[in-house]
Amino acid sequence: MTRTSRFPIVSPPSPEKRPVSDIHHGIARTDEYAWLRADNWQEMFQDPSLLDAAIRAELDAENAYQSKLMADTAELQKRLFDEMKGRIKEDDSSVPMKDGPYAYGSSFKLGGEQPRYFRMPRDGGPEQILLDGDAEAEGKVYFRLGAVDHSADHRKLLWAFDDKGSEFYTLRVRDLAGGKDLADQIPATGGSGVWDKGNDGFFYTRLDPNHRPSKVLFHALGQSPEDDRLIYEETDPGFFMNVDGTRNNEWIMIGINDHETSEYRLLSASDPFAEPRLVSARETGLQYELEEGGDIFFILTNADGAKDFKIMTAPAHDPVRANWQELVPHEPGRLILSVIGFKDHMVRLERREGLPRIVVRDRADGEEHLISFDEEAFSLGLSGSLEYDTEIMRFSYSSMTTPSQVFDYNMRTRERVLLKTQEVPSGHNPDQYVTRRLMAPAADGEMVPISLLHHRDTPLDGSAPCLLYGYGSYGITVPAAFNTNWFSLVDRGLVFAIAHVRGGKDKGYGWYEDGKRARKMNTFTDFIACARHLVAERYTAHDRIIAQGGSAGGMLMGAIANMAPDCFGGIVAEVPFVDVLTTMLDATLPLTPPEWPEWGNPIASADDYRTIAAYSPYDNVAALDYPPILALAGLTDPRVTYWEPAKWVARLRDRKSGDNPVLFKINTDSGHAGASGRFSRLEEIAYTYSFALKVVGKADLTGDRK
């Protein structure tokens, strides 16, 4: 495939090579750019000024290089930003959700970057601003709010913030009568907490220096954090941990899990000094989740071979495994995603044939009914309720052409009330767009779903550019939801497509299993099959496809770049997990031990080592004619550390053939999620879209569709 470079000729950075070798399972490997990893990364994540000067110089050189190559898109970036901002209702507000005497919600003010949290009387009245994110962020380069949770007596607010991008959150408590924060301040937390029943303290997770939630503690208001009581400590670094509560304020639930095994411990919310009780001990491959049900717990589990999950119940006072009773049996091909319990009903969100649906069950007689929808591809969100004893629950609906709609639904009368439709201030006519669901044949005969959006006037003769997005890990499904940003591409004649590749749960739990560990290669070949199908169906051409993915989806980008560079005209890899083998060989990194069930443990297993080595993007860079590549990262990212893309970019430039550039843009003021403000985040998206439009020759402002 012949490509015409649209980038100026500028000499790229060329980091020094300092080879370091290692041997595992008798296999030798050399890493010439390992020095780009800061030795003091743990301290640097919390204070970026501590970054080694030589490393900072390399990152600064990368930013200067990409800035030169993208300089001619400055006006396009501004126009894209203005378009995307114009589709956002700047003073938007959520529909308040009722809880006791109040209804709680969030909103933005005109020009505001951060949300505000408010409450109002239950049946309407003046708003009381509880927390103003813009005020809290003032003077900070980076600021992101964590969880915000009011106490059951409605007198206090527990809130969290991160002002480094490193995801070490500080917890604060606000007195809602006076509007001032108490002296209590808890650093290095997971970003949320749960009130006890007396509203005089809360449970939270403490992160260790390696960013692992290793302890659950109880903080009594007014005491020093150093005196907080240890409730439970998880000593296995391979497990995540979180603490949650129930809406009836009866239970505190400590959830412990990796990607395939889970364990719960319970204690009464009225007795923070009780010893947590084990529900069912961790058993490799056994997953379960607890949901309140008054005198019972609903248990969503894959026990007894229920690959796509079933629902069981157990008495709340003794929910051990021996007392589990089946309520909703396993049905192959119907993946049950989540369960919400109410006094008289149980609601579940499930997926069949790749599409979500909501099922409501009457607890008295077991009768079930489905909330139905008509579009070919759509997305559902189950918000539930802040209250347990209610007939009303909330859900959201959207499709790639239909703006998000929020409904309250009466589970008894089946009345559906539309509360809000997402406003697009600059205008949106769904009749101007087409959404389709295609099925691409994979190499082994599987059919891979593709969700697709294009303008009605876009010619489908193979000439249209296409942005093809993919993820494909951890069982995460990319929803076919409404995203106003996509229309800046679609209105310029691009086809926007989502490849629902294996590694997600788009077609059930088996779809996930077929895209992990030894079968990980299916994720990459599925994505390539989707690209080829779009070309075969004349939606686009290979040199017109921009592939995009982030995090584990960035690993997908690195793999397909090595496997099929001719299939793509350009590649965007955001916070890309590209040095998979090195990271999985380093047990000191924040996420490595919990990730072994997903990727394999190359330290313990030679087979896992060879499997990962076969696709790890950094390890498979070769003398290939790669398309233009853009990598993006955040300096304080604890999930995908900055040095992974830094090393990958350096090796790509050193080994590749051809003249296509490799760009690396690193945000030195953020972490994994990018810029923290809603508008500053749009600036990053505008940059990414400008790269894509530049590569496919659509960066000319005179070609914009109005």
Side-chain angles (χ1 to χ4, degrees):
M1 178 172 61
T2 301
R3 300 186 182 94
T4 301
S5 178
R6 296 181 170 87
F7 294 87
I9 298 175
V10 178
S11 295
S14 180
E16 178 187 353
K17 294 180 181 180
R18 304 178 190 174
V20 175
S21 297
D22 62 47
I23 298 177
H24 292 272
H25 308 292
I27 303 169
R29 197 170 60 114
T30 299
D31 186 349
E32 61 272 31
Y33 300 110
W35 69 272
L36 289 170
R37 166 180 163 164
D39 292 334
N40 64 337
W41 60 267
Q42 292 158 312
E43 294 81 10
M44 188 275 295
F45 279 176
Q46 300 198 56
D47 183 359
S49 68
L50 298 176
L51 182 64
D52 177 83
I55 298 173
R56 184 173 291 278
E58 289 295 339
L59 300 181
D60 288 345
E62 291 289 355
N63 275 338
Y65 174 69
Q66 58 82 14
S67 183
K68 290 177 182 177
L69 266 63
M70 292 291 288
D72 62 344
T73 68
E75 184 59 34
L76 175 61
Q77 290 180 49
K78 181 179 184 303
R79 184 170 294 189
L80 289 168
F81 172 80
D82 289 342
E83 287 175 11
M84 291 186 286
K85 185 178 179 182
R87 299 190 193 100
I88 294 175
K89 189 174 187 295
E90 288 202 43
D91 56 350
D92 201 9
S93 176
S94 69
V95 181
M97 189 173 280
K98 296 177 180 179
D99 186 20
Y102 297 102
Y104 290 83
S106 63
S107 64
F108 286 91
K109 61 187 176 187
L110 285 173
E113 290 272 12
Q114 302 287 342
R116 300 180 300 177
Y117 291 86
F118 68 87
R119 71 181 178 191
M120 58 196 302
R122 181 183 181 95
D123 296 317
E127 291 184 3
Q128 175 192 0
I129 300 297
L130 308 178
L131 181 70
D132 185 337
D134 286 311
E136 300 300 334
E138 190 171 347
K140 295 181 170 66
V141 175
Y142 180 95
F143 183 84
R144 186 179 295 275
L145 285 168
V148 177
D149 184 32
H150 61 274
S151 58
D153 61 6
H154 306 279
R155 294 179 178 177
K156 294 177 284 291
L157 192 76
L158 180 63
W159 65 284
F161 69 90
D162 167 23
D163 58 6
K164 299 289 192 304
S166 58
E167 299 182 43
F168 285 92
Y169 285 87
T170 299
L171 281 170
R172 300 298 309 267
V173 178
R174 180 155 298 182
D175 171 50
L176 295 181
K180 301 293 185 182
D181 285 331
L182 305 181
D184 306 73
Q185 182 164 309
I186 319 293
T189 77
S192 64
V194 184
W195 291 100
D196 70 345
K197 193 163 187 175
N199 305 297
D200 50 11
F202 54 86
F203 301 84
Y204 67 95
T205 55
R206 171 74 54 80
L207 303 183
D208 67 16
N210 281 4
H211 205 272
R212 293 173 183 147
S214 58
K215 296 178 180 179
V216 171
L217 298 103
F218 176 75
H219 175 76
L221 295 182
Q223 76 174 19
S224 168
E226 296 180 359
D227 297 326
D228 288 351
R229 178 175 180 269
L230 177 65
I231 303 299
Y232 181 77
E233 181 172 7
E234 178 52 54
T235 57
D236 188 334
F239 281 79
F240 301 101
M241 185 165 59
N242 67 285
V243 61
D244 205 351
T246 56
R247 282 163 296 146
N248 60 15
N249 300 310
E250 294 296 332
W251 299 100
I252 301 298
M253 302 184 293
I254 299 172
I256 305 161
N257 68 281
D258 62 14
H259 292 294
E260 61 184 19
T261 302
S262 51
E263 178 179 282
Y264 274 85
R265 294 169 185 268
L266 286 173
L267 67 156
S268 169
S270 59
D271 187 2
F273 300 103
E275 186 73 20
R277 292 186 295 133
L278 178 65
V279 175
S280 181
R282 67 193 71 173
E283 176 185 324
T284 300
L286 174 66
Q287 299 179 53
Y288 68 98
E289 297 176 13
L290 300 182
E291 168 61 17
E292 66 185 305
D295 60 349
I296 65 169
F297 278 109
F298 295 106
I299 302 167
L300 177 62
T301 181
N302 66 349
D304 311 311
K307 178 180 288 191
D308 287 325
F309 289 78
K310 61 182 178 179
I311 300 172
M312 307 185 80
T313 63
H317 68 276
D318 192 17
V320 296
R321 177 82 179 274
N323 292 336
W324 294 6
Q325 298 290 321
E326 185 171 275
L327 180 69
V328 179
H330 175 246
E331 189 177 300
R334 178 195 65 186
L335 178 64
I336 303 177
L337 300 166
S338 61
V339 177
I340 300 181
F342 297 92
K343 181 176 179 291
D344 297 317
H345 298 87
M346 182 195 74
V347 181
R348 67 179 186 266
L349 178 65
E350 59 187 37
R351 183 176 292 114
R352 187 191 293 271
E353 290 301 317
L355 290 177
R357 61 188 204 174
I358 295 172
V359 181
V360 179
R361 181 186 182 96
D362 188 300
R363 292 182 61 177
D365 59 17
E367 181 184 1
E368 296 188 347
H369 68 271
L370 183 69
I371 305 176
S372 59
F373 307 92
D374 298 326
E375 291 189 85
E376 191 173 327
F378 55 86
S379 172
L380 290 177
L382 191 54
S383 306
S385 171
L386 293 175
E387 298 177 321
Y388 174 73
D389 186 1
T390 180
E391 295 180 344
I392 307 296
M393 69 95 174
R394 184 168 294 175
F395 70 88
S396 60
Y397 171 89
S398 75
S399 75
M400 296 176 84
T401 58
T402 304
S404 178
Q405 298 174 322
V406 178
F407 295 88
D408 266 356
Y409 183 80
N410 190 302
M411 295 176 282
R412 180 179 57 82
T413 67
R414 306 188 185 185
E415 179 185 10
R416 186 187 310 188
V417 178
L418 176 62
L419 301 174
K420 177 184 177 182
T421 298
Q422 179 182 352
E423 293 183 47
V424 184
S426 59
H428 172 71
N429 181 359
D431 294 336
Q432 292 296 308
Y433 304 96
V434 177
T435 183
R436 293 287 315 280
R437 188 171 177 81
L438 308 179
M439 301 299 284
D444 60 359
E446 285 284 1
M447 301 301 289
V448 185
I450 303 174
S451 297
L452 184 143
L453 173 71
H454 64 83
H455 195 279
R456 193 167 293 281
D457 295 340
T458 297
L460 302 181
D461 57 4
S463 64
C466 173
L467 192 143
L468 180 60
Y469 181 86
Y471 187 76
S473 291
Y474 306 116
I476 293 173
T477 299
V478 181
F482 189 74
N483 187 324
T484 57
N485 298 331
W486 297 341
F487 293 98
S488 284
L489 298 175
V490 172
D491 284 348
R492 287 173 169 81
L494 274 73
V495 173
F496 184 90
I498 302 169
H500 299 282
V501 296
R502 278 174 279 189
K505 293 177 185 169
D506 306 69
K507 294 177 70 175
Y509 198 84
W511 200 247
Y512 169 42
E513 290 183 319
D514 279 347
K516 65 183 291 194
R517 296 196 70 158
R519 297 194 285 275
K520 188 62 199 172
M521 200 65 76
N522 286 332
T523 303
F524 317 133
T525 55
D526 281 0
F527 191 86
I528 294 166
C530 288
R532 288 176 174 152
H533 187 67
L534 289 168
V535 172
E537 293 296 306
R538 298 183 62 75
Y539 281 97
T540 188
H542 281 300
D543 62 349
R544 311 283 279 161
I545 299 176
I546 304 297
Q548 182 186 22
S551 195
M555 176 199 63
L556 168 61
M557 296 300 101
I560 57 106
N562 291 328
M563 293 170 63
D566 286 350
C567 275
F568 305 97
I571 292 172
V572 176
E574 300 176 289
V575 289
F577 179 35
V578 283
D579 194 10
V580 185
L581 187 55
T582 303
T583 294
M584 288 298 103
L585 284 166
D586 186 349
T588 70
L589 289 173
L591 293 182
T592 292
E595 298 288 280
W596 285 331
E598 179 77 14
W599 313 105
N601 182 346
I603 299 173
S605 166
D607 288 342
D608 287 351
Y609 184 101
R610 293 186 181 92
T611 295
I612 297 171
Y615 67 74
S616 176
Y618 184 61
D619 291 275
N620 288 280
V621 172
L624 301 170
D625 185 10
Y626 291 93
I629 293 175
L630 169 63
L632 302 107
L635 179 62
T636 54
D637 185 349
R639 299 172 185 266
V640 177
T641 50
Y642 75 86
W643 56 82
E644 291 204 27
K647 291 166 51 180
W648 179 55
V649 164
R651 183 174 279 184
L652 277 166
R653 291 208 195 101
D654 180 61
R655 296 187 180 181
K656 73 180 182 66
S657 62
D659 299 324
N660 291 314
V662 181
L663 289 70
F664 181 32
K665 184 176 190 290
I666 181 163
N667 190 332
T668 55
D669 297 317
S670 76
H672 194 69
S676 57
R678 59 172 176 163
F679 296 132
S680 52
R681 175 60 182 148
L682 287 183
E683 291 176 348
E684 294 187 345
I685 297 171
Y687 174 90
T688 300
Y689 284 3
S690 293
F691 171 85
L693 291 166
K694 183 178 176 70
V695 168
V696 299
K698 287 278 189 177
D700 184 357
L701 296 178
T702 61
D704 289 1
R705 175 185 277 124
K706 302 301 181 190

